[in-house]
Amino acid sequence: MAAVAALGLNLVGCKPKDAGSAVSGDAAEKVYVAPGKHDEFYNIVSGGFNGQMSVYGIPSGRLLKIVPVFSVFPENGWGYSEESKPMLNTSHGEVPWDDLHHIALSTTNGEHDGRWAFGNANNTPRVARVSLSSFRTEEILELPNSAGNHSSPFITENTEYVIAGTRFSVPTDNNADVPISTFKQNFKGYISFINVDKNTGRMGIAFQLKTPGVSFDLARAGKGKSHGWFFFSTYNTEQANTLLEVNASQKDKDFILAVNWKKAEEYLKQGKGRKEPAKYAHNLYDEKTHTATSTIMNEVITLDPKECPGIVYFIPCPKSPHGCDVDPTGEYIVGSGKLAAVIPVFSFDKLQKAIADKTFDGDFDGIPVVKYEAALYGEVQKPGLGPLHTEFDGQGNAITSFFVSSELVKWNIKDLKVLDRVPTYYSVGHLSIPGGPTKKPHGKYVIAYNKITKDRYLPTGPELAQSAQLYDISGDKMKLLLDFPTVGEPHYAEAIPAALIAKNSTKIYKIEENGHKYAAKGEKEAKVVREGNKVHVYITSIRSHFTPDNIEGVKLGDEVYFHVTNLEQDWDVPHGFAVKGGDNAEILIMPGETQTLRWKPNRVGVVPIYCTDFCSALHQEMQGYVRVSPAGSNVQLTWGTGKNPVAEAEKKVAKK
Amino acid sequence: MAAVAALGLNLVGCKPKDAGSAVSGDAAEKVYVAPGKHDEFYNIVSGGFNGQMSVYGIPSGRLLKIVPVFSVFPENGWGYSEESKPMLNTSHGEVPWDDLHHIALSTTNGEHDGRWAFGNANNTPRVARVSLSSFRTEEILELPNSAGNHSSPFITENTEYVIAGTRFSVPTDNNADVPISTFKQNFKGYISFINVDKNTGRMGIAFQLKTPGVSFDLARAGKGKSHGWFFFSTYNTEQANTLLEVNASQKDKDFILAVNWKKAEEYLKQGKGRKEPAKYAHNLYDEKTHTATSTIMNEVITLDPKECPGIVYFIPCPKSPHGCDVDPTGEYIVGSGKLAAVIPVFSFDKLQKAIADKTFDGDFDGIPVVKYEAALYGEVQKPGLGPLHTEFDGQGNAITSFFVSSELVKWNIKDLKVLDRVPTYYSVGHLSIPGGPTKKPHGKYVIAYNKITKDRYLPTGPELAQSAQLYDISGDKMKLLLDFPTVGEPHYAEAIPAALIAKNSTKIYKIEENGHKYAAKGEKEAKVVREGNKVHVYITSIRSHFTPDNIEGVKLGDEVYFHVTNLEQDWDVPHGFAVKGGDNAEILIMPGETQTLRWKPNRVGVVPIYCTDFCSALHQEMQGYVRVSPAGSNVQLTWGTGKNPVAEAEKKVAKK
């Protein structure tokens, strides 16, 4: 623990002196969004270990939606419906969980365009794309040769690429069974460049860069003058494989990796890319068929920087850099060494000159190391303890989060002077300014995503909600407005003006455009079809009945597929569907959509089905029955709604 | 649709005329809980189709926690860890989802005691008990002979019983394979009386009442003078089995079922109970072993009211009653007929007299029907459209929710006069007044849980959050304060003063009391043990490393069990654990706890493990590697942290 002790840091975080509230008198009014009014910003927040994205309204801090991405979501059938299961497929098979750390909102010309939100799977490496119209995950792409997809997703100015760097270097797939202690010889890092179709958003791996075995932490694309470059923070350049809290904190400086991706493109055109076998899943959700597909890919193109001079350079950066952020002009690259006593700010122009002049300090595993001073614009002195991340307010200032000293610190990008500091409660991780990573920050607020909660809310046992805090940054001084708890464990988040998204929101799916193979686009199309031991139920839902709602002739050993089509064409009228005793979740079906619940009956009897989403005053009556007979029974397959031979017969008797 | 049309109701809900906000000037201040301050009430809210309980703070409307109950919760391993899997076991096998509709907070002498929250599984019938100290689900009890456990859970004054009535009548298990159209002959309803141990909360089915085949909707226990009785709303007394929205809305009056459970106890003592075969799971979580067990039970005691005169009576109630609520004195029983034009209020005293005098109107399937007028105290006239639920303010008033006319209506219990009405946005379902169902309501607020959201928040695609609204009821007029979105689909909720819960909150588990079979209570106890193809890893976590963090000798075909013990003894320092490519979730381990993640490696390689819950400035370094060799490999089982033979050797070379 020598390295840590030498810094004199309390690495578990300090409690600020004034742990109470220090809010100004108008804070309540500033965060209050009156009933019937809307929030000003969407805050798209990573869910961390819940594997999802959350949507909050700012300034109210209200949770508007959880979008299921990498983890199963029994509440709407994500990962359980036949349509969504392929989305969670990987080269390892179906994986029900992941750890989503970072959000990247699509940009055009370096500015928010409100089309897609990208998110990373940190555990089983993948990148997802979520539509900001439907707020549904439309695509998930697995990343081979990666382990711990932390440095991801980060995007270029026009969303040309989404990039993803490995956190845990591992042996390559072709040389996998090696002693862990041979890290330096056998473990490699990979950075994936994912191209994105301008119109559809569809992703593919353009190429992977093979790098020395280090840990990639975070990254940002260049912008403006530095467009064409990418900058990655790295740690564990010690290449330790055990007790990293000590062994990866030995060196005084780790590196920022600068990548000239435009030059990499040139090498690719020259045929320098190498096709290598690689197994990974590419999953797409189709809004017309309301169905996902998963395709296993078998090949990836890799570039080895050692064979392609001029595409990667290391810049020394004190110490274990976490955030690596680029200012709106693209000139300044801020490295936040989480164990460092200063914040180094690098100059893109100086970096270019140093590269041109070959002002190098040797190499690291064959990659040139630019001299620290040659790339350095300057250092922010005594900024705080444990700097993690920096965002920009669009007024020439940067705000950096400090985990150990629990504060946000505002400083001027040009003169590197500290302008203001405010405490956070407690131990802030990421921070978000609306538009903070773009060429044109929207400013106005900064949100701190804190890592320690303790006494901030009413206690809820050993496990507490993570906590966020909202500050007004419209004036010279940052002002705390609100504490709000968050779901999962937010890491990075982005905020975007409501006006860029709200107008495009999908409200319903048109029933006439429903291309689902088993859709019943009207009650007349409802039917039950047996194919061997598979029973396909084409069932419709509309307030407040199913067609059919009585089914007989199902037998033990059958697999029943309830293909439920919601015939509603009004916004906010989903129906739900569930069956008693199923080893499955429910499904929620949006207006005009078809979703399928598989059910394998496990006992003889009459089993209820019902609508799980309160839909009308007669929702409670929206139910039905399926009769399950023994295997080999001669009960015929029949179905219907509103037909009741026994009751009809009784009525006739009563009339007489 | 004749029945519906005759009422002239728009059953899908009306939009109130003034759909904007009509809040008074001090609303912002009234709901603002300044950073560092705490909310005044816990609001324990059913999650509906997410299957969980949510904890909100009131008046801020902030989501403090989601407690996993009936649905898997990949974010903390609920349903995925070896310890929690048994909690989701049923007689149908493991069920990953359910639909939790109602909350009942434990009471002593009819007042909140802050010990447990009970919740129902609506789809695969079960009742759960959640500790209000640890905010963890401690027990889940399945209910045989039930289908659609909607009328549940409701409790008696001293939590002697939790009761649970079936929503979907079904054929009994011994006569299961019958035509659906034989509903009237073959379908029965069951009401379960679950006893609760005064000290431990442990549940068991005391007995089940066999009733005619109708749908039980909601219920309340008597209190004070009516303690010893229970009152259930019923619908579909038409006994229809298809198109219930029409066929179950034929009769002008359905029933409230009054049950004299003290008399039922007497019959049981007399040996009138019948032991019947029944298969159901009883699942318990032990806080000492940090492990759940599931026991399949095989027998239940049933009582047939036809053989036990004097324990059940039907009271006619207009039309399709939904809520059935008892006022704080126990004298008044309010039936809310969702298709009725009045709210009937019944008198317990009059009911007793009617029973004594046998003022009956014939019988229904052998059960006496008390004359409507004989039990009626009076009717609230022109209350609104679509009354659903009623709560009490402790000041002699009732507040009823109206789905169709979208409003809350306050009326005086004694004179049945309407005092006030406020619009809801939109189509309110349940409502909650702190302490509203107890003998001593805490009052101050009412919360409306609305069913339609539409334009209340920034749009988030076709699926929108459900919406709640908070009203101040401390004055004569109800005042709207706040809209807040909610997770899942809340049905019933209870609110309780923070003072009754906060003081008892569990913060950590004492490591010395950890009785888990595979706990490692210190790093010295960490080890890896092979038992055939099972590999047990006794692994510890403490800021910021695992012991061991390098493991070799695992082979394809092995099943690896990571038993992770969190050695921390500070509040709010969980660690998380995940392994790349596992077909499993993560686990979150609270301080002092052991949790187990099963992993079946599916390829050869070096696979990272890491801490998934940000724990310190060196959290990112909290990782390790497991080497997976081919089946039959001769790599020995070795493990350690901080030992690195290769690196040690290199250091020695460097020193020379």
Side-chain angles (χ1 to χ4, degrees):
Chain A
M1 305 274 182
V4 171
L7 262 169
L9 297 183
N10 170 7
L11 292 166
V12 300
C14 306
K15 196 163 173 172
K17 278 172 198 164
D18 173 17
S21 62
V23 295
S24 52
D26 59 352
E29 291 293 340
K30 282 187 170 170
V31 302
Y32 183 68
V33 176
K37 306 292 182 192
H38 286 183
D39 278 288
E40 189 180 352
F41 293 94
Y42 285 93
N43 190 198
I44 314 290
V45 182
S46 64
F49 50 56
N50 79 6
Q52 324 291 36
M53 283 188 199
S54 318
V55 182
Y56 288 84
I58 296 296
S60 72
R62 295 179 296 182
L63 175 60
L64 304 177
K65 189 178 182 65
I66 298 172
V67 180
V69 183
F70 293 116
S71 296
V72 298
F73 201 58
E75 102 168 50
N76 73 351
W78 186 253
Y80 290 100
S81 69
E82 294 305 302
E83 289 76 7
S84 65
K85 275 182 192 169
M87 292 301 282
L88 300 186
N89 192 40
T90 73
S91 65
H92 299 268
E94 263 184 53
V95 171
W97 170 86
D98 218 302
D99 184 12
L100 194 162
H101 274 222
H102 308 119
I103 303 292
L105 299 188
S106 59
T107 54
T108 301
N109 297 322
E111 297 176 39
H112 277 153
D113 61 23
R115 302 207 289 169
W116 305 301
F118 298 91
N120 65 320
N122 201 21
N123 186 48
T124 301
R126 287 166 289 170
V127 166
R129 180 173 54 81
V130 170
S131 160
L132 293 178
S133 299
S134 65
F135 286 82
R136 192 198 290 268
T137 303
E138 290 189 332
E139 189 173 11
I140 292 181
L141 180 65
E142 193 180 359
L143 303 170
N145 296 317
S146 185
N149 177 42
H150 191 271
S151 187
S152 163
F154 301 99
I155 58 170
T156 52
E157 266 193 16
N158 297 294
T159 320
E160 294 96 340
Y161 292 108
V162 172
I163 70 92
T166 198
R167 169 172 163 201
F168 307 113
S169 284
V170 284
T172 53
D173 285 348
N174 302 328
N175 181 30
D177 183 28
V178 298
I180 301 167
S181 57
T182 64
F183 187 111
K184 289 185 187 181
Q185 297 94 307
N186 290 317
F187 287 40
K188 297 291 166 198
Y190 276 88
I191 298 172
S192 305
F193 281 74
I194 299 163
N195 52 24
V196 178
D197 184 274
K198 265 184 198 174
N199 299 312
T200 63
R202 190 165 168 157
M203 302 186 288
I205 301 178
F207 64 97
Q208 292 192 311
L209 269 184
K210 190 175 180 178
T211 76
V214 297
S215 289
F216 292 100
D217 207 356
L218 290 154
R220 285 289 181 206
K223 30 175 113 83
K225 62 165 73 168
S226 56
H227 179 59
W229 286 75
F230 233 108
F231 306 95
F232 300 81
S233 61
T234 71
Y235 66 103
N236 193 23
T237 59
E238 294 87 350
Q239 302 188 307
N241 61 281
T242 179
L243 198 61
L244 265 63
E245 71 173 323
V246 175
N247 294 329
S249 305
Q250 299 298 313
K251 287 190 181 173
D252 197 44
K253 287 197 173 66
D254 293 280
F255 296 123
I256 284 173
L257 180 76
V259 177
N260 183 342
W261 58 264
K262 290 250 180 189
K263 198 163 186 98
E265 285 181 333
E266 288 169 22
Y267 280 114
L268 283 171
K269 275 186 193 157
Q270 292 163 22
K272 295 279 186 183
R274 187 176 296 163
K275 283 189 183 174
E276 295 195 42
K279 197 179 165 201
Y280 60 101
H282 186 189
N283 309 333
L284 273 166
Y285 197 93
D286 183 327
E287 283 218 339
K288 293 301 175 197
T289 62
H290 303 292
T291 301
T293 52
S294 177
T295 308
I296 296 292
M297 312 295 285
N298 294 301
E299 201 173 68
V300 75
I301 294 172
T302 63
L303 273 184
D304 188 337
K306 289 179 191 170
E307 299 165 3
C308 306
I311 59 173
V312 299
Y313 300 91
F314 279 126
I315 311 168
C317 182
K319 171 169 192 170
S320 299
H322 194 50
C324 176
D325 297 289
V326 178
D327 91 308
T329 69
E331 165 63 7
Y332 302 104
I333 301 130
V334 181
S336 295
K338 65 196 181 203
L339 304 180
V342 297
I343 300 175
V345 179
F346 300 98
S347 153
F348 181 71
D349 288 343
K350 286 187 75 176
L351 173 67
Q352 295 306 304
K353 187 169 185 310
I355 289 170
D357 296 349
K358 301 198 173 175
T359 315
F360 297 148
D361 202 0
D363 73 292
F364 181 88
D365 205 2
I367 292 171
V369 177
V370 174
K371 275 200 172 151
Y372 178 65
E373 293 76 13
L376 188 73
Y377 172 71
E379 292 171 340
V380 182
Q381 298 296 325
K382 295 187 182 173
L385 298 178
L388 292 189
H389 306 281
T390 298
E391 294 249 305
F392 304 94
D393 70 355
Q395 309 294 318
N397 305 307
I399 299 178
T400 300
S401 60
F402 289 80
F403 176 84
V404 176
S405 54
S406 274
E407 58 188 334
L408 298 182
V409 177
K410 179 177 171 178
W411 49 277
N412 182 276
I413 303 171
K414 279 280 161 61
D415 67 15
L416 308 181
K417 292 265 166 50
V418 169
L419 301 172
D420 189 25
R421 56 179 73 234
V422 287
T424 62
Y425 308 95
Y426 307 100
S427 299
V428 59
H430 282 272
L431 77 172
S432 173
I433 294 173
T438 71
K439 280 166 89 169
K440 288 203 181 163
H442 315 294
K444 192 164 182 178
Y445 300 110
V446 64
I447 305 149
Y449 300 94
N450 301 311
K451 292 301 180 186
I452 310 286
T453 303
K454 303 268 190 200
D455 56 2
R456 298 303 288 178
Y457 306 109
L458 288 176
T460 55
E463 194 187 355
L464 303 170
Q466 311 290 319
S467 186
Q469 292 187 289
L470 178 73
Y471 298 80
D472 180 345
I473 59 165
S474 60
D476 286 344
K477 296 292 176 186
M478 298 180 280
K479 288 181 188 165
L480 176 60
L481 297 177
L482 180 70
D483 276 25
F484 64 100
T486 50
V487 293
E489 189 199 19
H491 295 259
Y492 188 55
E494 283 208 47
I496 178 169
L500 288 174
I501 298 205
K503 62 190 177 201
N504 300 321
S505 210
T506 308
K507 291 194 162 81
I508 63 161
Y509 299 101
K510 288 184 183 167
I511 188 76
E512 64 268 24
E513 294 175 3
N514 181 325
H516 193 288
K517 187 179 171 190
Y518 294 100
K521 297 190 195 178
E523 294 188 356
K524 286 184 180 169
E525 296 181 16
K527 61 184 173 184
V528 183
V529 176
R530 174 180 286 283
E531 291 174 4
N533 74 330
K534 289 188 169 55
V535 177
H536 291 280
V537 182
Y538 298 66
I539 181 172
T540 62
S541 63
I542 193 161
R543 286 163 287 184
S544 285
H545 61 275
F546 294 109
T547 304
D549 72 358
N550 276 205
I551 301 170
E552 302 202 353
V554 170
K555 295 165 198 172
L556 273 187
D558 284 347
E559 287 174 15
V560 181
Y561 293 84
F562 294 104
H563 308 287
V564 188
T565 301
N566 181 347
L567 298 177
E568 309 281 355
Q569 292 285 272
D570 282 346
W571 192 28
D572 197 23
V573 192
H575 289 288
F577 184 87
V579 56
K580 182 194 166 186
D583 62 343
N584 209 336
E586 68 157 358
I587 45 175
L588 290 184
I589 313 105
M590 298 302 120
E593 196 182 39
T594 304
Q595 292 283 293
T596 302
L597 190 76
R598 178 183 178 277
W599 174 52
K600 209 167 152 39
N602 50 35
R603 66 176 67 156
V604 167
V606 177
V607 182
I609 54 175
Y610 72 106
C611 176
T612 56
D613 193 333
F614 202 104
C615 55
S616 82
L618 290 167
H619 157 76
Q620 196 75 345
E621 281 75 3
M622 192 164 173
Q623 66 162 86
Y625 287 108
V626 182
R627 178 182 177 188
V628 179
S629 300
S633 157
N634 60 4
V635 174
Q636 292 303 299
L637 195 63
T638 56
W639 64 90
T641 286
K643 294 168 195 158
N644 193 335
V646 173
E648 292 301 314
E650 285 180 354
K651 268 187 200 169
K652 282 175 191 166
V653 171
K655 275 184 188 169
K656 281 176 189 171
Chain B
M1 304 275 180
V4 171
L7 262 170
L9 297 183
N10 169 6
L11 291 167
V12 300
C14 307
K15 198 163 172 171
K17 276 172 200 165
D18 172 17
S21 62
V23 295
S24 52
D26 58 352
E29 290 293 341
K30 281 187 171 171
V31 302
Y32 182 69
V33 176
K37 307 292 183 192
H38 287 181
D39 278 289
E40 188 180 351
F41 291 95
Y42 285 93
N43 190 200
I44 315 289
V45 182
S46 64
F49 51 56
N50 78 6
Q52 323 293 35
M53 282 188 200
S54 318
V55 182
Y56 287 84
I58 296 295
S60 72
R62 295 178 298 182
L63 174 60
L64 304 178
K65 189 175 180 67
I66 299 172
V67 181
V69 184
F70 294 116
S71 296
V72 298
F73 201 56
E75 101 168 50
N76 74 352
W78 186 253
Y80 290 100
S81 69
E82 295 305 302
E83 289 76 6
S84 65
K85 275 181 190 170
M87 292 300 283
L88 300 185
N89 192 41
T90 74
S91 65
H92 300 269
E94 264 183 54
V95 171
W97 170 86
D98 219 302
D99 183 12
L100 195 163
H101 275 221
H102 308 119
I103 302 292
L105 299 188
S106 59
T107 54
T108 301
N109 297 323
E111 296 178 39
H112 278 154
D113 60 24
R115 303 207 290 169
W116 305 301
F118 298 90
N120 65 319
N122 201 20
N123 186 49
T124 302
R126 287 166 288 170
V127 166
R129 180 174 53 82
V130 170
S131 160
L132 293 179
S133 298
S134 65
F135 287 82
R136 192 198 290 268
T137 304
E138 290 190 333
E139 189 172 10
I140 293 180
L141 179 65
E142 193 179 359
L143 303 171
N145 295 317
S146 185
N149 176 40
H150 190 271
S151 186
S152 163
F154 301 99
I155 58 171
T156 52
E157 265 194 16
N158 297 294
T159 321
E160 295 95 339
Y161 291 108
V162 172
I163 70 91
T166 199
R167 170 173 163 201
F168 307 113
S169 284
V170 286
T172 52
D173 285 349
N174 301 327
N175 181 32
D177 184 28
V178 298
I180 301 168
S181 57
T182 64
F183 187 112
K184 290 185 187 181
Q185 297 93 308
N186 290 316
F187 287 39
K188 297 292 166 197
Y190 276 88
I191 298 171
S192 305
F193 281 74
I194 299 164
N195 52 24
V196 179
D197 184 274
K198 263 185 198 173
N199 299 311
T200 63
R202 191 164 168 156
M203 301 186 289
I205 301 177
F207 64 95
Q208 292 192 311
L209 270 185
K210 191 176 179 178
T211 76
V214 297
S215 290
F216 292 100
D217 206 356
L218 290 154
R220 285 288 182 207
K223 30 175 114 82
K225 63 165 73 167
S226 55
H227 179 61
W229 285 74
F230 233 109
F231 306 95
F232 300 81
S233 61
T234 70
Y235 66 104
N236 192 21
T237 58
E238 295 86 352
Q239 302 188 309
N241 60 281
T242 180
L243 198 61
L244 265 64
E245 71 174 323
V246 176
N247 295 330
S249 304
Q250 299 297 311
K251 287 191 181 173
D252 196 46
K253 287 197 174 67
D254 292 280
F255 296 125
I256 284 173
L257 180 76
V259 177
N260 183 343
W261 58 262
K262 291 251 179 189
K263 197 166 188 94
E265 285 180 334
E266 288 169 22
Y267 279 114
L268 283 171
K269 275 186 194 158
Q270 294 164 21
K272 296 277 185 182
R274 186 176 298 162
K275 284 189 183 174
E276 295 194 42
K279 197 179 164 200
Y280 61 102
H282 186 190
N283 309 332
L284 274 167
Y285 198 92
D286 182 327
E287 283 219 340
K288 294 302 177 196
T289 62
H290 302 292
T291 301
T293 51
S294 177
T295 308
I296 296 292
M297 312 295 284
N298 294 300
E299 201 173 69
V300 75
I301 294 172
T302 64
L303 273 184
D304 189 337
K306 291 179 190 171
E307 299 165 3
C308 305
I311 58 174
V312 299
Y313 300 91
F314 279 125
I315 311 169
C317 184
K319 170 168 195 172
S320 299
H322 193 50
C324 177
D325 298 287
V326 178
D327 91 308
T329 68
E331 165 64 6
Y332 303 104
I333 301 130
V334 181
S336 295
K338 65 197 182 204
L339 304 180
V342 297
I343 300 175
V345 179
F346 300 97
S347 153
F348 181 73
D349 288 344
K350 287 187 73 177
L351 173 67
Q352 293 307 305
K353 185 169 188 309
I355 290 170
D357 298 348
K358 300 197 173 174
T359 317
F360 299 147
D361 203 0
D363 72 292
F364 181 87
D365 206 2
I367 292 170
V369 178
V370 175
K371 275 200 170 151
Y372 179 66
E373 292 75 14
L376 188 73
Y377 173 70
E379 292 171 341
V380 183
Q381 297 296 325
K382 296 188 183 174
L385 298 177
L388 293 188
H389 307 281
T390 299
E391 294 249 305
F392 304 93
D393 70 356
Q395 309 294 318
N397 305 307
I399 299 178
T400 300
S401 60
F402 290 80
F403 176 85
V404 176
S405 54
S406 274
E407 58 187 334
L408 298 182
V409 176
K410 180 175 170 179
W411 49 277
N412 183 276
I413 304 172
K414 279 280 164 61
D415 67 16
L416 307 181
K417 292 267 167 47
V418 170
L419 302 171
D420 188 26
R421 56 180 72 234
V422 287
T424 62
Y425 308 96
Y426 307 100
S427 299
V428 59
H430 281 271
L431 77 170
S432 173
I433 293 173
T438 71
K439 281 167 87 170
K440 289 203 180 163
H442 316 294
K444 192 162 182 177
Y445 300 110
V446 64
I447 305 149
Y449 301 94
N450 301 310
K451 292 301 180 187
I452 310 286
T453 303
K454 302 268 191 201
D455 56 1
R456 298 304 287 178
Y457 307 108
L458 288 176
T460 55
E463 193 186 354
L464 303 170
Q466 311 289 320
S467 186
Q469 293 187 288
L470 179 74
Y471 298 80
D472 180 346
I473 59 166
S474 58
D476 285 345
K477 296 292 175 185
M478 298 180 279
K479 288 180 188 166
L480 176 59
L481 298 177
L482 179 71
D483 276 26
F484 62 101
T486 50
V487 293
E489 189 199 19
H491 295 260
Y492 188 54
E494 282 208 47
I496 178 170
L500 287 174
I501 297 205
K503 62 189 176 200
N504 299 322
S505 209
T506 308
K507 291 195 163 83
I508 63 161
Y509 299 101
K510 289 184 184 169
I511 187 76
E512 65 269 23
E513 294 176 2
N514 181 326
H516 193 288
K517 187 180 171 188
Y518 294 100
K521 297 190 195 178
E523 295 189 355
K524 286 184 180 169
E525 296 181 18
K527 61 184 173 184
V528 183
V529 176
R530 174 180 286 283
E531 290 175 4
N533 75 330
K534 289 189 168 56
V535 178
H536 290 280
V537 182
Y538 297 65
I539 181 172
T540 62
S541 64
I542 194 162
R543 284 163 289 182
S544 284
H545 62 274
F546 293 109
T547 304
D549 72 358
N550 277 205
I551 300 170
E552 303 202 351
V554 170
K555 295 165 199 173
L556 274 188
D558 283 346
E559 286 175 15
V560 182
Y561 292 84
F562 294 104
H563 308 288
V564 188
T565 301
N566 181 347
L567 298 178
E568 309 281 355
Q569 292 286 273
D570 283 346
W571 192 28
D572 197 22
V573 192
H575 289 287
F577 184 87
V579 55
K580 182 193 166 186
D583 62 344
N584 209 336
E586 67 158 358
I587 45 176
L588 290 184
I589 314 105
M590 298 302 120
E593 196 182 39
T594 304
Q595 291 285 291
T596 301
L597 190 75
R598 179 182 176 278
W599 175 51
K600 212 168 147 37
N602 50 36
R603 67 178 65 158
V604 167
V606 177
V607 181
I609 55 175
Y610 71 105
C611 176
T612 55
D613 193 332
F614 203 103
C615 55
S616 82
L618 290 167
H619 157 74
Q620 197 74 346
E621 282 74 2
M622 191 163 173
Q623 64 162 87
Y625 288 108
V626 182
R627 178 182 177 187
V628 179
S629 300
S633 157
N634 59 5
V635 174
Q636 292 302 299
L637 195 64
T638 56
W639 64 89
T641 286
K643 294 170 195 158
N644 192 335
V646 174
E648 291 302 314
E650 284 178 356
K651 268 188 199 167
K652 280 176 193 167
V653 172
K655 275 185 187 169
K656 280 177 189 171

